[in-house]
């Protein structure tokens, strides 16, 4: 069982797997901006799904507290690029520096193939 815990004293979010810290995301606060600095991963554990859960937990926490996000951490930035629903957390004026879209993407169009009986 894994769980995300916000460690205020250390300015980081941790995810635990069987009581062991599997990964941590370190951040700094500046007013209402949360700058994610780097991600630390315990190499002895199989962590990709845990890291994704951790990053999602960090971003959901920032959203709940109405904080802007600055994803200096490459892992965090890559996650936001692939999960565009979190792009809105990055201030519009800051998105270009993180190579994030500055305009909303149009919704994906379904590609349908029409099959006609012969």
């Amino acid at each position: 069982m894994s769980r995300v815990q916000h460690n205020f004293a250390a300015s980081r979010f941790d995810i635990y797997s069987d009581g062991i810290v599997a990964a941590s995301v370190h951040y700094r606060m500046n007013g209402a901006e949360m700058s994610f600095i780097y991600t630390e991963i315990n190499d002895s554990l199989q962590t990709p799904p845990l890291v994704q859960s951790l990053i999602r937990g960090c971003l959901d926490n920032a959203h709940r507290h109405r904080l802007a996000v600055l994803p200096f951490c490459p892992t965090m930035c890559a996650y936001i690029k692939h999960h565009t629903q979190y792009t809105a957390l990055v201030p519009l004026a800051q998105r270009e520096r993180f190579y994030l879209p500055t305009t909303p993407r149009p919704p994906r169009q379904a590609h349908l193939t029409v099959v006609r009986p012969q």
Side-chain angles (χ1 to χ4, degrees):
M1 180 103 192
S2 63
R3 61 184 172 85
V4 175
Q5 185 174 347
H6 190 177
N7 185 339
F8 289 101
S11 297
R12 71 179 192 223
F13 290 88
D14 300 317
I15 190 161
Y16 292 82
S17 178
D18 297 324
I20 299 169
V21 176
S24 299
V25 173
H26 297 256
Y27 68 88
R28 289 193 188 126
M29 291 298 301
N30 184 16
E33 287 184 339
M34 182 176 268
S35 296
F36 290 102
I37 309 304
Y38 65 96
T39 300
E40 221 175 350
I41 300 170
N42 184 337
D43 292 332
S44 66
L45 301 172
Q46 297 286 24
T47 56
L50 294 175
V51 172
Q52 289 186 8
S53 295
L54 173 61
I55 291 174
R56 188 173 44 252
C58 294
L59 294 171
D60 289 345
N61 180 281
H63 176 71
R64 272 193 309 278
H65 291 94
R66 298 177 185 239
L67 299 172
V69 167
L70 299 177
F72 292 102
C73 167
T75 306
M76 178 71 69
C77 195
Y79 186 88
I80 292 172
K81 285 178 185 175
H82 287 78
H83 299 85
T84 57
Q85 67 270 27
Y86 292 109
T87 303
L89 296 175
V90 180
L92 186 58
Q94 298 287 338
R95 290 182 195 166
E96 201 169 297
R97 91 191 277 188
F98 299 109
Y99 303 101
L100 294 169
T102 55
T103 56
R105 290 183 182 175
R108 290 185 183 185
Q109 297 293 321
H111 295 284
L112 302 175
T113 304
V114 176
V115 179
R116 297 174 195 236
Q118 295 184 6

